[in-house]
Amino acid sequence: MLNVSVYRYNPDVDSAPRMQDYQVDTGGKDLMVLDVMELLKAQDPTLVFRRSCREGVCGSDGLNINGKNGLACVTPLSECVRNNRLVLRPLPGLPVIRDLVIDMGQFYAQYEKIQPWLINDTPAPAIERLQSPEEREKLDGLYECILCACCSTACPSFWWNPDKFIGPAGLLQAYRFLADSRDTAAEERLAELDDPFSVFRCHSIQNCVAVCPKELNPTRAIGHIRTLLLRSGT
Amino acid sequence: MAKVHTISFDAVIVGGGGAGMRAALQLAQSGYKTAVISKVFPTRSHTVSAQGGITCAIASADPADQWQWHMYDTVKGSDYIGDQEAIEYMCSVGPEAVFELEHMGLPFSRTEEGRIYQRPFGGQSKNFGEGGQAARTCAAADRTGHALLHTLYQNNLKNRTVFLNEWFAVDLVKNQDGAVVGVIAIDIETGDVVHIKCRATVFATGGAGRIYASTTNAHINTGDGVAMALRAGFPVQDIEMWQFHPTGIAGAGVLVTEGCRGEGGYLINKDGERFMERYAPNAKDLAGRDVVARSMILEILAGRGCGPEGDHVLLKLDHLGEEVLHSRLPGICELSETFAHVDPVREPIPVVPTCHYMMGGIPTNVHGQALSRGPDGEDRIVPGLYACGEVACVSVHGANRLGGNSLLDLVVFGRASGLFIEQALREGVALRDAADEDVEAAMTRLRRLEDNNDGERTAELRRELQTIMQNHFGVFRRGDYMREGVDRLRQLRERIANVRLEDHSQAFNTARIEALELQNLLEVAEATAIAAEARTESRGAHAREDFPERDDDNWLCHSLYLPETREAAKRAVNFEPKTRPAFAPTARTY
Amino acid sequence: MGVKPVTSLGRSGLSDWLIQRVSAVVIAVYVLVMVGYLAVHPDLSYLQWAALHQQFWVRLLTLATVLAIAAHAWIGVWAVLTDYVTVRLMGAKATVLRIALELATIALILAYVVWAIEILWGA
């Protein structure tokens, strides 16, 4: 039997959050954390969490698992459980709606702020815009982001200023468009980022890199943005 | 629950996947007041899991490629019950729709010439089957669905589409004339129940793979749109046609793209034999998915399966080399490490046919208008209701979908629905408002669920349903097994209608949502079961041991499941493409 | 600009960031020079030490370092205050408190700068 401790809070009935203990029979298998949560949900239908694809591509089930942010569906128990104990909390730093479900509004707002769409005002050709494999390769490690928020909610700078600091996820996407050979709005994009908060609250703590379930590197992307700002400033 | 209040829009799209967001984008640009209702944040929709690509004759890999060749392959792949007018439309409009996606920013992989990279996929040929394998599937590495869904979401943000995220549509609201005038929906975060009123309701709710115990589908694929249509009395078409994808990771169900075989991977049995050479001497591992899935099951049944239980076969990729695997199939490397503990660079991946796609759905015309059946069996347009994507049955996939055609289907018909609705709204749509009792009728199910305190639990009933479907309506089907399955589902119906709700709180109550989804699963499962039992032949994905041959004399037609009588009727297949003669049915070999 | 801070004295995030790096280099150079000097003069007397600081280039370097510390400290303290002394974390009183702390920081830094100049260039 695995001991599981889960953060519970239902605004309809609870005045304050609490931790609830469960025991789960894993059948001795190295289940994914999400599988354990499904077993819990069958036991206690009032337990609430988000989930969708269960294969690490939709980004629904970002959680704080034994102290570290990650996706429940691709985190095997063997990777996180110590002393037969699993502790599940919502991602830190954003308001909790209920149990393991957080209000991601602030996170999405920062993503929208960087204008996450391709801008190219030249007339589109009858076929696709051409892009060499080398130019396309620059987008690898950037476009794969699934918006799970594991990185931004692991970032102290985002905890303190979620309304002003774009955060690692948003900045990774900012660079994804800056790096796209088809985008023509680099100057405007950079102008939007050159304040003391949006980019420069990043102090290279690198929690984002440590927790990203897709093994992306937002810190490196932020470094590239700084370099672009330096170049455009001189 | 007090009286339900109303929010009004011109058009409402239920579902935030590829089809819904493509339709929404079209309408957002039109200036009409449009909203997307999605039960998950849009980029969590199942389109995100599509891997291999979007099949379309853009003539990049082969400058001589023609959409007519793609049309031929799709008609043949459908085992001749795909509507040829719809397939013609999809294949001919496809290139324009794909170029639009590229212009929106979709990060396609590229050729040395800078064009979109296309890879070989199953069932794709040159020159009407005479010119060998075609490379026609446009890819963004093996994350095409992710790239597509995020690009569509981004462009909807750009165009300021209204999103009602984490809202769940419960049932359709029909007015006194039988026209659809919106839906009842729950705001999951607050528990508020609202009548969303509109002049065009677009279902883009995706598939229902969760009716099976083993599926590549996300937890959210519970057939909500199909079930809402059935409860509203509208028929569904070809719902017995379920695609089993040859390569789900054994045990986990997670999909491994057909692109693996497109890039040169192949299946082997326990003797290391490339067995597809026996079943499909020409196309081999790139035969139609139904053909490959059946061949795999036959190998396993013949005792040539792998593993201690002999219950799967292996997908061999190591001969492609680390560089190809890491550049073309990086997501697959990741998934197989995570879910099969296998590094494809060194070892083959254990795979087994797994439920993947619902070819059937709400019958529509090429404009996305939902069709129902008049008293004399003629098609009738349902005023106010549209469907596109997997929930719809246009029908471009017939009895078997070709790989890469689902993404094309959803962008082409999402776009077509949007274009048509824009024009319809411009010309003026007059629908009577729903009366209070119409809204109340649509609330029946929700009200009953609130009062269910002594039934059985959602998780247990769901498991039972999925097991019945898995055992009685799998890759191979047999009349007596299916009749038993139909009986068991009939018994399950009342128990599921009476499912116990153990959480009555308002904030983010997923117990309530899961109970409603379970009832939707049952509607889809029962329709599948009854339609499958009725079709006494083998065609495409529907393979019967007791009727092993295709029967064009009796069954070269769609099935139409009618909810009032719970019976399957027949509907004619369209053999009238606009620009060329129809492809006549012939024996389907690969 | 995405975010418009009121109390940041720098023109932009980039200039703040650059000033932090450049000032850090100046401080590091000064520390190295002083540590180096102390290392080669183990039996340093007060007269030698005073003579060193009478030299023009040393006084210039000291002044540059003082100014670098002033800029570095201001940017650093401002960043810390806008991280922790915020309405988000402390409620409405945070703004008043932060402005007070910022003014106190500025006053302190200015006092140190004036004092240092006084020491270096005073009679």
Side-chain angles (χ1 to χ4, degrees):
Chain A
M1 294 299 253
L2 176 71
N3 296 314
V4 189
S5 176
V6 187
Y7 180 101
R8 301 298 310 270
Y9 172 68
N10 179 354
D12 288 4
V13 292
D14 298 324
S15 54
R18 62 199 156 86
M19 297 302 290
Q20 185 170 346
D21 292 326
Y22 295 92
Q23 292 217 311
V24 177
D25 183 6
T26 58
K29 281 184 278 189
D30 187 17
L31 300 176
M32 295 294 175
V33 171
L34 181 64
D35 300 331
V36 172
M37 291 159 63
E38 292 291 344
L39 291 173
L40 286 177
K41 178 95 178 157
Q43 234 181 75
D44 177 0
T46 69
L47 175 66
V48 171
F49 50 88
R50 293 186 174 107
R51 84 283 181 270
S52 176
C53 76
R54 62 82 169 85
E55 57 189 33
V57 296
C58 80
S60 296
D61 60 352
L63 285 186
N64 188 272
I65 303 163
N66 276 10
K68 189 179 172 189
N69 290 358
L71 293 181
C73 60
V74 289
T75 305
L77 294 176
S78 58
E79 213 171 78
C80 59
V81 168
R82 297 286 171 272
N83 302 323
N84 198 37
R85 189 172 159 79
L86 177 66
V87 182
L88 301 177
R89 293 173 186 272
L91 289 176
L94 290 174
V96 172
I97 295 174
R98 178 174 170 181
D99 295 348
L100 300 172
V101 173
I102 54 166
D103 178 355
M104 295 176 73
Q106 196 76 259
F107 172 80
Y108 295 135
Q110 292 297 357
Y111 172 67
E112 288 173 30
K113 224 195 243 175
I114 60 105
Q115 302 198 298
W117 49 79
L118 191 83
I119 300 175
N120 186 328
D121 294 329
T122 62
I127 58 164
E128 68 270 41
R129 288 197 164 93
L130 300 183
Q131 184 176 47
S132 71
E134 294 72 32
E135 289 168 331
R136 168 59 183 74
E137 211 182 305
K138 296 206 168 80
L139 308 183
D140 285 339
L142 304 171
Y143 82 96
E144 300 94 324
C145 172
I146 58 174
L147 299 178
C148 65
C150 285
C151 60
S152 291
T153 60
C155 172
S157 292
F158 189 76
W159 294 340
W160 311 143
N161 286 297
D163 52 339
K164 298 193 185 77
F165 175 49
I166 302 282
L171 290 170
L172 188 80
Q173 289 317 295
Y175 185 61
R176 177 248 174 275
F177 289 99
L178 285 165
D180 196 320
S181 62
R182 300 168 296 171
D183 193 275
T184 56
E187 219 167 290
E188 296 87 321
R189 292 181 188 281
L190 289 172
E192 286 293 320
L193 296 171
D194 186 19
D195 62 75
F197 282 98
S198 300
V199 176
F200 289 97
R201 273 304 149 116
C202 168
H203 301 308
S204 306
I205 300 166
Q206 306 213 36
N207 280 3
C208 53
V209 184
V211 299
C212 177
K214 305 310 282 182
E215 295 181 15
L216 309 178
N217 191 327
T219 308
R220 188 161 58 211
I222 295 168
H224 288 313
I225 296 177
R226 276 203 207 103
T227 309
L228 290 175
L229 280 167
L230 257 174
R231 275 201 210 130
S232 76
T234 50
Chain B
M1 264 175 268
K3 189 178 177 312
V4 201
H5 73 277
T6 305
I7 317 180
S8 295
F9 293 96
D10 292 313
V12 162
I13 292 139
V14 184
M21 287 212 285
R22 187 61 191 80
L25 188 58
Q26 205 67 42
L27 286 165
Q29 289 165 344
S30 75
Y32 283 102
K33 200 177 160 199
T34 310
V36 176
I37 308 178
S38 178
K39 64 179 177 178
V40 291
F41 181 77
T43 64
R44 326 281 183 218
S45 307
H46 190 55
T47 304
V48 82
S49 296
Q51 297 171 350
I54 174 165
T55 303
C56 186
I58 60 160
S60 160
D62 172 10
D65 199 13
Q66 301 177 10
W67 66 259
Q68 287 89 348
W69 299 352
H70 181 200
M71 176 181 170
Y72 166 81
D73 293 334
T74 304
V75 171
K76 177 184 171 189
S78 80
D79 221 346
Y80 299 95
I81 61 163
D83 286 331
Q84 298 207 12
E85 182 200 4
I87 296 173
E88 176 190 43
Y89 180 80
M90 177 176 82
C91 295
S92 61
V93 173
E96 198 183 333
V98 169
F99 293 141
E100 282 171 1
L101 289 171
E102 195 283 334
H103 298 154
M104 287 179 213
L106 201 156
F108 282 111
S109 300
R110 298 289 170 157
T111 65
E112 286 304 322
E113 294 74 41
R115 295 206 59 192
I116 293 171
Y117 169 72
Q118 293 182 293
R119 62 164 51 113
F121 243 54
Q124 297 297 334
S125 75
K126 298 181 184 184
N127 197 18
F128 308 108
E130 303 293 321
Q133 177 72 42
R136 190 176 287 138
T137 303
C138 309
D142 56 358
R143 305 186 177 99
T144 315
H146 169 278
L148 185 148
L149 191 67
H150 281 253
T151 301
L152 285 175
Y153 181 63
Q154 291 160 351
N155 280 271
N156 272 290
L157 287 178
K158 181 181 177 184
N159 287 282
R160 302 180 185 283
T161 301
V162 176
F163 283 100
L164 301 178
N165 292 333
E166 298 184 326
W167 283 53
F168 182 82
V170 180
D171 266 312
L172 281 169
V173 177
K174 289 199 294 183
N175 69 9
Q176 296 293 309
D177 309 317
V180 172
V181 289
V183 289
I184 297 292
I186 304 176
D187 175 353
I188 300 175
E189 183 178 337
T190 61
D192 290 344
V193 179
V194 176
H195 168 210
I196 298 184
K197 179 182 139 181
C198 54
R199 294 184 288 161
T201 304
V202 186
F203 272 180
T205 54
R210 286 278 153 181
I211 61 171
Y212 287 92
S214 169
T215 174
T216 64
N217 283 194
H219 285 286
I220 57 171
N221 291 26
T222 52
D224 303 338
V226 169
M228 283 189 275
L230 287 171
R231 276 192 300 269
F234 303 126
V236 292
Q237 178 170 284
D238 296 337
I239 195 72
E240 71 277 22
M241 298 299 180
W242 283 87
Q243 178 163 82
F244 287 78
H245 196 290
T247 55
I249 292 178
V254 171
L255 174 70
V256 172
T257 175
E258 186 168 303
C260 292
R261 284 169 284 139
E263 297 287 346
Y266 54 84
L267 298 162
I268 52 175
N269 60 21
K270 76 167 182 189
D271 306 321
E273 185 206 3
R274 184 176 182 180
F275 57 84
M276 279 313 297
E277 288 176 333
R278 273 188 279 122
Y279 296 94
N282 297 313
K284 302 188 179 84
D285 296 82
L286 288 176
R289 284 180 177 172
D290 55 332
V291 175
V292 180
R294 278 194 293 277
S295 309
M296 291 167 71
I297 297 286
L298 290 173
E299 284 300 294
I300 291 168
L301 291 175
R304 291 191 288 273
C306 307
E309 313 285 326
D311 58 357
H312 59 265
V313 298
L314 296 172
L315 174 63
K316 183 173 149 54
L317 294 172
D318 56 321
H319 57 285
L320 300 179
E322 188 166 347
E323 201 185 306
V324 169
L325 288 173
H326 285 174
S327 66
R328 298 283 183 220
L329 302 165
I332 294 311
C333 295
E334 203 180 300
L335 285 173
S336 50
E337 294 255 13
T338 307
F339 289 99
H341 308 295
V342 154
D343 178 1
V345 172
R346 274 175 280 281
E347 290 171 86
I349 309 173
V351 290
V352 71
T354 305
C355 169
H356 182 58
Y357 189 86
M358 175 176 84
M359 267 78 72
I362 299 170
T364 70
N365 60 23
V366 291
H367 307 301
Q369 293 179 286
L371 302 173
S372 119
R373 205 167 99 119
D376 302 320
E378 78 283 8
D379 286 350
R380 272 207 181 163
I381 288 167
V382 179
L385 183 63
Y386 300 79
C388 53
E390 190 170 344
V391 66
C393 183
V394 185
S395 137
V396 285
H397 310 305
N400 171 63
R401 173 173 73 77
L402 293 184
N405 267 357
S406 58
L407 292 185
L408 187 65
D409 171 9
L410 61 83
V411 289
V412 166
F413 292 105
R415 181 178 178 271
S417 305
L419 285 167
F420 182 84
I421 293 166
E422 181 181 349
Q423 194 194 338
L425 290 171
R426 222 172 282 295
E427 286 165 6
V429 177
L431 295 177
R432 275 205 285 170
D433 276 357
D436 283 353
E437 60 264 35
D438 299 330
V439 176
E440 204 42 46
M443 288 284 297
T444 316
R445 181 167 75 114
L446 195 56
R447 294 213 195 274
R448 172 166 180 191
L449 179 65
E450 283 311 310
D451 297 333
N452 285 355
N453 292 317
D454 54 358
E456 294 163 84
R457 287 187 143 176
T458 303
E460 285 147 26
L461 289 167
R462 187 172 51 210
R463 201 172 308 124
E464 201 172 322
L465 181 148
Q466 290 168 337
T467 308
I468 294 172
M469 293 309 290
Q470 193 76 27
N471 293 344
H472 295 264
F473 303 93
V475 174
F476 284 104
R477 298 164 172 185
R478 213 171 79 190
D480 50 348
Y481 268 39
M482 287 196 285
R483 278 186 290 280
E484 192 189 324
V486 170
D487 284 342
R488 294 185 57 188
L489 287 170
R490 193 168 294 138
Q491 290 159 21
L492 208 51
R493 173 171 279 278
E494 193 44 40
R495 290 163 59 201
I496 285 181
N498 197 36
V499 58
R500 179 164 91 219
L501 185 61
E502 289 174 87
D503 181 356
H504 292 273
S505 52
Q506 293 303 300
F508 225 100
N509 184 340
T510 54
R512 179 182 288 138
I513 303 300
E514 286 190 21
L516 293 166
E517 287 175 335
L518 171 65
Q519 294 177 340
N520 291 341
L521 288 174
L522 178 84
E523 297 291 349
V524 183
E526 197 177 18
T528 299
I530 290 170
E533 201 272 328
R535 188 181 279 272
T536 49
E537 64 155 354
S538 289
R539 180 185 300 272
H542 181 65
R544 288 187 64 149
E545 290 169 30
D546 45 355
F547 295 93
E549 300 302 321
R550 194 172 85 187
D551 177 3
D552 283 349
D553 293 337
N554 295 303
W555 286 104
L556 187 62
C557 63
H558 298 296
S559 75
L560 202 64
Y561 172 80
L562 308 169
E564 294 95 345
T565 54
R566 293 203 201 139
E567 281 170 358
K570 294 180 180 180
R571 177 171 176 255
V573 170
N574 178 294
F575 281 97
E576 289 168 356
K578 292 207 163 73
T579 63
R580 56 153 298 126
F583 295 105
T586 57
R588 182 167 161 258
T589 54
Y590 285 100
Chain C
M1 234 185 262
V3 177
K4 291 192 184 63
V6 184
T7 53
S8 165
L9 298 183
R11 288 167 301 123
S12 71
L14 180 67
S15 62
D16 277 7
W17 185 80
L18 267 179
I19 290 167
Q20 277 311 65
R21 264 101 206 128
V22 171
S23 60
V25 170
V26 172
I27 296 166
V29 167
Y30 190 75
V31 169
L32 282 177
V33 167
M34 287 302 137
V35 169
Y37 183 83
L38 290 174
V40 294
H41 297 89
D43 306 315
L44 189 66
S45 70
Y46 172 74
L47 282 178
Q48 278 174 301
W49 182 247
L52 173 70
H53 286 278
Q54 285 303 314
Q55 294 189 51
F56 181 74
W57 71 270
V58 177
R59 286 201 284 175
L60 203 61
L61 185 59
T62 307
L63 180 66
T65 305
V66 167
L67 293 176
I69 292 171
H72 201 94
W74 165 247
I75 293 171
V77 170
W78 180 79
V80 170
L81 291 176
T82 47
D83 268 353
Y84 299 105
V85 189
T86 61
V87 174
R88 252 181 63 78
L89 293 182
M90 302 173 67
K93 65 178 192 287
T95 308
V96 178
L97 180 61
R98 191 175 67 249
I99 289 171
L101 287 171
E102 282 169 353
L103 289 174
T105 307
I106 290 170
L108 195 65
I109 289 172
L110 275 180
Y112 276 127
V113 169
V114 171
W115 189 14
I117 291 172
E118 167 79 24
I119 292 169
L120 286 170
W121 306 95

